[in-house]
Amino acid sequence: RLPSAGWLHRADERRVRGWRERGTLGDCDLEHLPAGQRRPVAAGQVQAARAHPAARSHPAARSPAVRVVCARARVFARRCTRASGLAAACGGVRLLGLVGVAGGAVLPALGVPPLRRGPRRAAATARFGIARAGVTPRHAGEHPEPARILGWLPAGDALILLVTWLAIGSASTWAWGSRALGADFFEVVVTPESLIFPTNFSWGAATAAYQVEGGLYNTNWYKFEQDFKHADGSRAIADGWECGIAADSWNRFDEDLACMRELGIRSYRFGVEWSRIEPLRGSFNATAMARYVNWTHTLRANHIEPLVTLHHFTEPLWRTELGGLENISMAVDFERYVRYVALALAPTVDWWVTVNEIMVVAAIGWLSGEFPPGKQNDFPGMMRAVDTMVEMHRSAFRALHELDTIAWPGGQGKPCLVSVAQNVVLWSPGTPWLPTEALVAGFVEGYYNRWVLERLLRARPTSDGPLGARGSGLDYIGLNHYFSQVVLFGGFVIDFASRFARSDMDWSLDPGSLHEVVTQYHKWAPELPIVITEHGTADNSAPDVRRVEFLQKSLLGLREAVTAGDVPVIGYTHWALIDNFEWAKGFTPRFGLYRVDWKNNLRREITGGGRRYQQIIAANVEAAEEERAADKERASVSAALSSGRA
């Protein structure tokens, strides 16, 4: 037999009033409401509850413990799915199979409201006789209310959740484990001779157009510098800086080239500025394009491989006025610009980065408000920006492979290698056996680091078919990596580890994080080579001891990954070649291997980090020459022996 009433779970007065106004609440006996709001159940409602088709298959038919966990898991999964594929983003993170259970256990404690109960669920509740808190059973068929812990958790469920918690803790400890390289690995004296990489390893440095070229006043960033004000009235850029002429690299490329030659690098990553090439929509500046073409020829003449970035945080002002990154049509304009650049640079450029740090642009521009457009907590806008940049890469990927069909003689043998430069932060739980910390670290790592890359790897293939992995939107993995963070206090705090020194950007200088990052991404996409497209630190001190120490110990870990771990890292690009305009931080942070004197004619002067990088490159060049000489000698001996036998 059925009970005489149905119950709604913890409805407050406001929600009940709203449901009644919308006609979604029947005349239920709500004993947990004030007396004035209680209304008896009509006789016909019990009969309707008996006949309701949802009552026979409703999850309430399960045991109370299973029902609680499953309901919370459904809420968690639904919320994730609504966030533009967020659930798919977690496909590559650890502990995915435990997320639903943990979400069902944790979300109620965080104040997440339960499932809304409309007439169907009220009817199903009446059908199976599930009593609610503080209600005495009215019929033998109605289950008694169990004792509750903390006012909401049934005691029977608590045991299941405790067992689940321990299982998740064991699994997370197994999944995260400890670092492959312990702290003692880096407690050695590092010399250039101890940092020998494979013969074909590429050593490089990087800059970005807006940060070093100067004179770029037709961009969203210049407008942001001029117009934006924070809530406290301060200007967009720290200390009131403006980019202005920056390091004037547009007119001092020869000086920058001299720095490259002194270092001995064999690759140079630089940006082509969209606003300079297409100052008006559909109108291109052939003179500016000719200068970039001349740069690539000059680099090739000096045995330096150009790696060209097509979008590095900036866009033409006319594009901003059309909605910027929140308007998906930007991908169409971007493809037109990319095709123009590709036709000009295809003969001399084989390596391309389409978009730099998609998640950085979106998160800092739409959540923290430190980048254009300066919005805060605008999650829908952030997701639209991400979608646009993903589509920008896809269209550029197709266009570049279509137009760049010329491989530079003596290069890597392929005419076109395309990727993005993805900013990657190493997140890890401060306490690996604590499930919430492991889950938060895995979720953030999957969402911030891998979600975009996974979408790009599954990009639509070109007309000639897949060129890379998984449907193929990437030919290599470009990683920008600077620091690591730990999840603390049960998952409520994400901060830098206190045991490491800090850079001038207040980032932790974790020497082992680069090894961990490349190892993880090799396991994630073993079919793709890896290029470190950015890595470095801000050190304004003289001498720059922190830069020297961080550089050589990070390379020590990277060498271990390449030589002992067989991770296919084929190049390292240091950020930056020279000091530059560091976006919202202005000119104060100094990332350059060459120090730019902002007050004395922008003179370039090598730093201690630059000297050490120069020595490391020289040691590798010498080792490569010795190896080639040895190979030549072995070939000569082998030929002589073959001739003697003949």
Side-chain angles (χ1 to χ4, degrees):
R1 298 182 61 183
L2 297 175
S4 58
W7 314 94
L8 293 177
H9 180 48
R10 298 182 181 277
D12 57 36
E13 295 181 18
R14 180 175 55 79
R15 291 166 62 194
V16 171
R17 185 165 55 252
W19 290 342
R20 281 194 175 126
E21 291 173 355
R22 294 192 299 270
T24 57
L25 178 64
D27 291 335
C28 296
D29 183 4
L30 306 176
E31 290 199 1
H32 60 281
L33 295 178
Q37 301 233 359
R38 300 176 187 173
R39 302 178 67 180
V41 176
Q45 287 183 302
V46 175
Q47 299 299 326
R50 287 197 184 106
H52 204 290
R56 298 184 180 88
S57 59
H58 196 271
R62 307 185 184 114
S63 69
V66 173
R67 186 177 60 258
V68 169
V69 172
C70 291
R72 303 303 181 193
R74 285 196 303 275
V75 175
F76 182 79
R78 187 178 300 126
R79 290 169 185 263
C80 287
T81 304
R82 286 172 180 171
S84 298
L86 192 56
C90 298
V93 306
R94 305 170 179 84
L95 313 176
L96 176 63
L98 304 170
V99 168
V101 177
V106 174
L107 287 178
L110 300 179
V112 176
L115 289 170
R116 215 175 78 183
R117 293 181 176 272
R120 292 189 177 184
R121 288 187 178 176
T125 301
R127 167 73 175 83
F128 288 98
I130 303 167
R132 295 302 175 190
V135 180
T136 304
R138 295 185 176 184
H139 193 276
E142 186 171 315
H143 306 307
E145 172 66 14
R148 292 181 178 272
I149 298 175
L150 300 177
W152 65 271
L153 180 63
D157 295 349
L159 178 60
I160 292 180
L161 295 177
L162 177 61
V163 173
T164 302
W165 182 271
L166 295 175
I168 295 175
S170 301
S172 64
T173 302
W174 170 82
W176 286 98
S178 58
R179 289 203 176 191
L181 302 180
D184 56 339
F185 179 84
F186 299 97
E187 294 176 357
V188 296
V189 177
V190 183
T191 64
E193 289 72 25
S194 63
L195 298 174
I196 303 302
F197 283 71
T199 304
N200 59 349
F201 193 82
S202 175
W203 299 95
T207 59
Y210 189 82
Q211 292 178 272
V212 298
E213 285 185 7
L216 295 169
Y217 305 118
N218 185 31
T219 67
N220 61 328
W221 256 95
Y222 182 73
K223 182 176 176 59
F224 182 70
E225 293 172 24
Q226 300 300 310
D227 299 345
F228 184 80
K229 295 289 191 300
H230 292 289
D232 60 1
S234 61
R235 298 186 62 182
I237 311 303
D239 302 323
W241 287 105
E242 293 182 7
C243 183
I245 65 169
D248 198 26
S249 289
W250 185 247
N251 300 306
R252 298 170 184 253
F253 181 76
D254 290 342
E255 296 179 32
D256 293 344
L257 179 63
C259 296
M260 300 178 219
R261 290 170 56 88
E262 184 177 13
L263 289 174
I265 60 175
R266 286 293 172 261
S267 71
Y268 177 51
R269 180 188 169 202
F270 67 96
V272 171
E273 176 54 44
W274 185 0
S275 66
R276 211 186 275 281
I277 299 302
E278 192 177 3
L280 298 174
R281 192 178 193 185
S283 176
F284 295 97
N285 186 337
T287 303
M289 191 69 252
R291 184 173 297 195
Y292 285 121
V293 172
N294 182 60
W295 285 6
T296 60
H297 281 285
T298 303
L299 291 170
R300 287 292 189 183
N302 287 273
H303 308 290
I304 299 174
E305 180 95 36
L307 195 165
V308 171
T309 304
L310 295 166
H311 184 277
H312 198 130
F313 292 4
T314 60
E315 64 195 40
L317 197 54
W318 58 263
R319 185 57 248 182
T320 303
E321 294 169 352
L322 293 174
L325 288 170
E326 290 194 57
N327 188 338
I328 195 67
S329 67
M330 183 168 174
V332 178
D333 290 326
F334 185 69
E335 181 178 359
R336 181 180 61 247
Y337 148 73
V338 169
R339 287 181 175 276
Y340 181 83
V341 173
L343 287 172
L345 296 184
T348 52
V349 176
D350 295 337
W351 292 84
W352 303 86
V353 167
T354 56
V355 184
N356 184 76
E357 296 184 345
I358 291 175
M359 290 302 292
V360 170
V361 174
I364 302 183
W366 277 264
L367 296 185
S368 68
E370 296 178 26
F371 281 14
K375 297 183 179 181
Q376 293 184 333
N377 304 318
D378 184 3
F379 188 77
M382 170 189 166
M383 300 306 293
R384 288 192 293 271
V386 170
D387 290 343
T388 298
M389 285 184 279
V390 168
E391 191 58 34
M392 286 165 59
H393 168 79
R394 289 172 174 172
S395 60
F397 184 90
R398 294 190 296 269
L400 289 169
H401 277 286
E402 176 185 336
L403 298 174
D404 187 0
T405 58
I406 304 173
W408 184 262
Q412 34 67 40
K414 295 181 180 180
C416 186
L417 291 163
V418 185
S419 185
V420 295
Q422 173 73 355
N423 179 260
V424 173
V425 178
L426 179 65
W427 277 289
S428 57
T431 310
W433 54 264
L434 195 58
T436 50
E437 291 185 3
L439 285 168
V440 169
F443 174 80
V444 177
E445 198 274 341
Y447 176 60
Y448 183 86
N449 288 347
R450 301 193 190 189
W451 175 50
V452 167
L453 289 179
E454 188 65 40
R455 292 183 66 182
L456 297 179
L457 281 172
R458 299 181 186 279
R460 295 188 295 273
T462 63
S463 58
D464 295 329
L467 295 170
R470 302 184 201 174
S472 187
L474 301 173
D475 294 316
Y476 65 95
I477 299 178
L479 299 180
N480 295 358
H481 176 67
Y482 291 94
F483 58 85
S484 63
Q485 288 187 313
V486 292
V487 178
L488 304 169
F489 299 106
F492 291 96
V493 176
I494 298 178
D495 201 356
F496 299 104
S498 59
R499 66 181 182 273
F500 300 118
R502 301 288 184 94
S503 71
D504 290 345
M505 296 285 285
D506 203 31
W507 297 342
S508 63
L509 301 179
D510 178 0
S513 62
L514 187 59
H515 174 278
E516 297 293 322
V517 163
V518 298
T519 301
Q520 287 182 12
Y521 279 81
H522 174 53
K523 293 178 180 177
W524 176 65
E527 64 274 28
L528 293 178
I530 297 173
V531 176
I532 307 301
T533 43
E534 289 183 26
H535 180 263
T537 188
D539 189 353
N540 200 11
S541 57
D544 52 340
V545 177
R546 287 174 297 171
R547 178 179 289 112
V548 173
E549 190 75 3
F550 183 61
L551 170 65
Q552 59 189 14
K553 290 194 173 180
S554 295
L555 289 177
L556 184 66
L558 183 63
R559 178 186 178 276
E560 183 71 11
V562 173
T563 57
D566 293 326
V567 178
V569 181
I570 59 177
Y572 173 87
T573 309
H574 192 278
W575 183 271
L577 175 67
I578 59 176
D579 290 338
N580 53 58
F581 176 76
E582 191 51 40
W583 306 113
K585 301 299 182 182
F587 290 104
T588 301
R590 292 182 178 270
F591 281 87
L593 295 169
Y594 281 81
R595 187 181 184 92
V596 176
D597 191 339
W598 302 119
K599 298 180 180 180
N600 186 17
N601 197 31
L602 303 177
R603 184 170 56 90
R604 280 79 159 144
E605 182 179 357
I606 194 168
T607 64
R611 290 290 182 198
R612 180 48 57 95
Y613 194 44
Q614 178 190 50
Q615 294 166 2
I616 293 169
I617 295 173
N620 276 268
V621 171
E622 183 179 352
E625 290 176 351
E626 292 176 355
E627 184 174 344
R628 281 192 290 268
D631 289 342
K632 186 176 181 180
E633 184 176 351
R634 283 193 292 270
S636 177
V637 171
S638 177
L641 291 175
S642 299
S643 176
R645 285 194 295 269

